[in-house]
Amino acid sequence: MYFFNTIRQPNSSKELKKYVYLSFGGCVVWFIILTTWYGLFVNKRVSWGEGADRITVVIPKGL
């Protein structure tokens, strides 16, 4: 949040603005990728069988 206030100042550099916006874009992309993976993994873990159990950190009891 600090950098968004900094880039709004009239004397901020264009290179800083570029890196702040690229960093924010990368954060959004990774958020979408990881939440999609989480949703798929939670919903399909049982049907993926032993392969999914190998990459599971905590296996829920009862399944």
Side-chain angles (χ1 to χ4, degrees), residues 35-59:
T35 54
T36 302
W37 166 250
Y38 177 75
L40 285 172
F41 187 76
V42 166
N43 289 319
K44 303 287 185 177
R45 184 188 66 80
V46 175
S47 65
W48 288 347
E50 188 178 333
D53 287 343
R54 286 188 195 144
I55 62 172
T56 301
V57 177
V58 178
I59 298 176

Side-chain angles (χ1 to χ4, degrees), residues 5-57:
N5 291 331
T6 305
I7 65 172
R8 289 184 182 171
Q9 295 177 0
N11 60 352
S12 65
S13 69
K14 289 185 179 186
E15 189 173 359
L16 177 65
K17 288 181 183 181
K18 179 180 89 169
Y19 284 123
V20 168
Y21 287 124
L22 286 175
S23 176
F24 180 72
C27 179
V28 169
V29 168
W30 273 106
F31 177 78
I32 291 170
I33 289 170
L34 292 175
T35 54
T36 302
W37 166 250
Y38 177 75
L40 285 172
F41 187 76
V42 166
N43 289 319
K44 303 287 185 177
R45 184 188 66 80
V46 175
S47 65
W48 288 347
E50 188 178 333
D53 287 343
R54 286 188 195 144
I55 62 172
T56 301
V57 177

